[in-house]
């Protein structure tokens, strides 16, 4: 999901280990995190396409916590500033307040409003500060209480009233208001994190993970006005066909499927269409996919062409799940899991399956490597060049200097070597397993 640009939709169940301690769900990617004192659990969507972390709070218009498809498995929460002993207001004179002009008095609470490009979707409210509960990845894990800034989301619109973000949205973007920016600035971790999406529906988020020396990498495209995780794709390979058409794309964990605009959408789709021997399925307005095929008893997975993206710099990302299988009352249909976009190209969660994706914000590099998401031994925190320098990154935000917690003792000695990790499990509700792919959508 992209704030002021695009929307998304992914659910996942995560358990974070300094590392984050939480649990997530996926049709979009959801994380079960703990916030405040006493800790209150929230099921939030992870989103690299936006910056603000917000939860429902002092609700005027919020998604129902009773009718949600997740409510049977998870008790959805509403944040109450008065119910947390560590909650504090963010005022208009705070450096993190984006809307100074909306304040009649600098001592007033800082208002926020973020619009997303998904079905007139937005959130608005006031900024707050409270404790996010984390723990270290090591065997002798220490619990960490990190002071973070987030949105007390009083009014939600659009898909936020449905299932796009059942209990809030956790923005992972590059702006200073995002939680990764705060964790780095406060010295908890180095300025990097990784997301891993496993084939079996499990995964991991690691704050402070710098990746490995043997990972593929490409530079992010710099944008001084609104930095985002955008890269340059120089070639797409479909089967034996090489499509030499350069385009830029955003890596967005908040979007379940990949969105491409013309000309690359048509070039890729028509190349893919030359391989399947099954009958094309008639257009179905309930589906966002154009290239769908009726699965027959003779359907051969070998006829599904291999697909890969070649990034600027030459690194290649093989697409492990280019299709999605859909069950209807009468038949199984498989589709090329790419949605036609009018303008923006988005690499969604389905193209990230099987990889650890590293968002190195310090070097402005995207890294990727095939990965076992449950193997924590392969997670690498930043190691200083001399191997001995464990000093914390400079500058603690002024708004946090006056708050002392147990984490202050920890970060003074272990910052920059600290990894925040969270194991998560992707849960698809009302879905089935099918022949060609682990992910299936039921169409009613």
């Amino acid at each position: 999901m992209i704030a002021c640009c695009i929307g998304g939709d992914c659910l996942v169940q995560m358990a974070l280990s300094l590392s984050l301690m939480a649990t997530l769900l996926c049709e979009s990617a959801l994380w079960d995190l703990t916030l405040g004192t006493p800790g209150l659990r929230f099921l939030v969507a992870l989103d690299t396409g936006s910056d603000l972390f917000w939860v429902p709070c002092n609700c005027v218009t919020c998604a129902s916590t009773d009718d949600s498809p997740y409510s049977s498995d998870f008790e959805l929460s509403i944040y109450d500033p008065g119910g947390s002993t560590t909650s504090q207001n963010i005022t208009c004179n705070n450096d993190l307040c984006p809307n100074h002009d909306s304040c009649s008095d600098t001592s007033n609470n800082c208002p926020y409003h973020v619009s997303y490009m998904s079905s007139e979707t937005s959130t608005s409210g006031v900024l707050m500060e409270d404790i996010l509960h984390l723990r270290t990845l090591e065997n002798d894990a220490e619990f960490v209480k990190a002071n973070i800034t987030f949105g007390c989301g009083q009014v939600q619109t659009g898909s936020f009233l449905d299932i796009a973000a059942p209990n809030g949205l956790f923005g992972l973007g590059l702006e200073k208001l995002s939680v990764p920016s705060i964790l780095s600035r406060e010295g908890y971790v180095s300025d990097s994190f990784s997301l891993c999406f496993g084939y079996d529906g499990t995964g991991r988020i690691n704050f402070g993970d710098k990746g490995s020396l043997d990972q593929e990498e490409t530079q992010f495209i710099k944008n001084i006005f609104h930095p985002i995780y955008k890269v340059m794709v120089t070639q797409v390979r479909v089967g034996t066909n090489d499509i030499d058409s350069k385009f830029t794309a955003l890596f967005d964990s908040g979007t379940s499927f990949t969105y491409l605009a013309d000309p690359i959408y048509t070039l890729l789709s028509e190349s893919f269409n030359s391989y399947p021997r099954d009958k094309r399925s008639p257009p179905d307005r309930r589906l966002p996919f154009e290239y769908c095929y009726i699965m027959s008893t003779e359907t051969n997975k070998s006829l599904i062409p291999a697909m890969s993206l070649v990034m600027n710099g030459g690194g290649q990302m093989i697409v492990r799940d280019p299709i999605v299988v859909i069950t209807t009352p009468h038949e199984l249909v498989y589709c090329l899991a790419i949605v036609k976009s009018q303008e923006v190209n988005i690499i969604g969660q389905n193209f990230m399956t099987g990889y650890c994706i590293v968002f190195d914000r310090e070097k402005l590099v995207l890294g990727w490597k095939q990965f076992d998401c449950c193997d924590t031994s392969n997670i690498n925190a930043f190691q200083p060049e001399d191997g001995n320098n464990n000093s914390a990154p400079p500058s603690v935000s002024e708004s946090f200097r006056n708050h002392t917690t147990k984490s202050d003792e920890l970060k003074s000695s272990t910052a920059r070597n600290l990894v925040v990790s969270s194991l998560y499990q992707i849960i698809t509700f009302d879905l089935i397993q099918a022949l060609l792919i682990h992910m299936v959508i039921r169409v009613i």
Side-chain angles (χ1 to χ4, degrees):
M1 181 171 293
I2 306 173
C4 304
C5 278
I6 303 171
D9 59 319
C10 178
L11 312 174
V12 202
Q13 186 175 17
M14 293 192 173
L16 293 181
S17 72
L18 216 41
S19 244
L20 280 212
M21 201 58 199
T23 305
L24 298 181
L25 299 175
C26 191
E27 189 199 76
S28 161
L30 303 185
W31 169 31
D32 170 11
L33 58 77
T34 303
L35 179 69
T37 308
L40 196 61
R41 295 170 61 197
F42 292 88
L43 192 64
V44 300
L46 291 179
D47 186 20
T48 57
S50 65
D51 301 286
L52 180 67
F53 164 37
W54 63 267
V55 296
C57 164
N58 292 344
C59 286
V60 177
T61 307
C62 298
S64 171
T65 57
D66 299 323
D67 301 332
S68 168
Y70 315 107
S71 57
S72 60
D73 302 314
F74 189 94
E75 185 177 351
L76 301 181
S77 301
I78 302 293
Y79 181 82
D80 176 13
S84 174
T85 60
T86 47
S87 174
Q88 296 196 37
N89 294 328
I90 295 294
T91 57
C92 287
N93 58 2
N94 191 292
D95 289 341
L96 292 179
C97 183
N99 295 320
H100 298 284
D101 296 340
S102 301
C103 301
S104 58
D105 190 320
T106 56
S107 63
N108 289 347
N109 291 350
C110 174
Y112 81 84
H113 178 87
V114 180
S115 295
Y116 303 77
M117 283 183 64
S118 176
S119 304
E120 299 181 348
T121 298
S122 69
T123 177
S124 59
V126 295
L127 294 185
M128 305 290 300
E129 180 183 309
D130 211 333
I131 287 173
L132 182 64
H133 296 262
L134 314 173
R135 70 177 175 86
T136 57
L137 183 63
E138 291 77 11
N139 292 331
D140 54 344
E142 297 186 54
F143 289 93
V144 175
K145 298 177 180 179
N147 287 291
I148 54 92
T149 299
F150 65 99
C152 168
Q154 300 166 343
V155 178
Q156 273 64 254
T157 65
S159 58
F160 287 153
L161 297 178
D162 193 6
I163 63 170
N167 215 194
L169 190 74
F170 198 88
L172 292 162
L174 284 158
E175 297 285 3
K176 64 181 180 180
L177 190 60
S178 73
V179 171
S181 297
I182 295 171
L183 292 177
S184 171
R185 191 165 59 245
E186 286 287 86
Y188 294 104
V189 293
S190 58
D191 197 8
S192 185
F193 70 91
S194 66
L195 290 170
C196 187
F197 296 96
Y199 298 109
D200 60 354
T202 62
R204 188 175 294 275
I205 179 172
N206 306 297
F207 291 91
D209 184 12
K210 302 284 286 187
S212 58
L213 294 176
D214 59 345
Q215 71 184 6
E216 301 276 11
E217 291 185 347
T218 189
Q219 288 284 330
F220 289 122
I221 297 173
K222 294 181 181 179
N223 184 329
I224 60 174
F225 299 106
H226 182 58
I228 56 177
Y229 301 120
K230 181 181 284 188
V231 301
M232 173 68 73
V233 181
T234 59
Q235 186 184 70
V236 177
R237 294 173 179 165
V238 181
T240 59
N241 301 326
D242 291 346
I243 304 172
D244 295 314
S245 179
K246 291 184 179 181
F247 62 95
T248 61
L250 171 73
F251 267 72
D252 185 8
S253 66
T255 302
S256 296
F257 299 107
T258 293
Y259 286 68
L260 297 177
D262 276 333
I264 189 60
Y265 172 81
T266 297
L267 292 172
L268 186 156
S269 299
E270 290 183 350
S271 180
F272 177 91
N273 186 52
S274 66
Y275 284 89
R277 296 293 176 262
D278 294 306
K279 180 182 177 182
R280 281 280 295 272
S281 176
D284 189 333
R285 63 181 182 180
R286 297 170 298 175
L287 298 177
F289 311 115
E290 181 180 3
Y291 288 82
C292 297
Y293 309 84
I294 299 172
M295 188 181 297
S296 66
T297 55
E298 287 79 29
T299 296
N300 188 338
K301 188 176 180 180
S302 65
L303 295 179
I304 304 300
M307 187 180 299
S308 64
L309 307 177
V310 180
M311 307 295 184
N312 187 35
Q316 179 174 258
M317 174 179 285
I318 298 172
V319 179
R320 305 294 176 180
D321 287 336
I323 62 171
V324 60
V325 177
I326 303 163
T327 180
T328 73
H330 308 293
E331 58 197 6
L332 287 177
V333 174
Y334 63 96
C335 303
L336 174 62
I338 298 175
V339 182
K340 187 173 185 178
S341 169
Q342 294 303 311
E343 296 180 2
V344 184
N345 299 307
I346 307 169
I347 305 302
Q349 197 179 105
N350 64 323
F351 274 32
M352 303 183 205
T353 299
Y355 288 97
C356 176
I357 309 293
V358 177
F359 297 81
D360 191 329
R361 301 145 51 89
E362 183 179 2
K363 293 168 56 181
L364 292 179
V365 161
L366 179 80
W368 66 95
K369 180 183 178 181
Q370 294 185 51
F371 205 78
D372 176 1
C373 297
C374 294
D375 185 1
T376 60
S377 64
N378 289 329
I379 297 170
N380 297 307
F382 175 82
Q383 298 294 331
E385 291 184 1
D386 61 7
N388 298 312
N389 180 9
N390 290 328
S391 60
S395 97
V396 175
S397 173
E398 182 175 353
S399 60
F400 298 108
R401 285 182 185 167
N402 296 327
H403 306 294
T404 302
T405 66
K406 284 182 65 178
S407 63
D408 292 322
E409 301 172 4
L410 174 66
K411 68 184 181 184
S412 64
S413 61
T414 61
R416 305 201 95 179
N417 288 320
L418 201 56
V419 176
V420 178
S421 172
S422 172
L423 183 66
Y424 67 83
Q425 181 177 6
I426 297 175
I427 300 175
T428 53
F429 59 90
D430 223 3
L431 309 183
I432 65 169
Q433 289 290 341
L435 260 172
L436 303 179
I437 195 171
H438 74 269
M439 180 176 174
V440 179
I441 299 178
R442 180 175 298 278
V443 177
I444 300 175

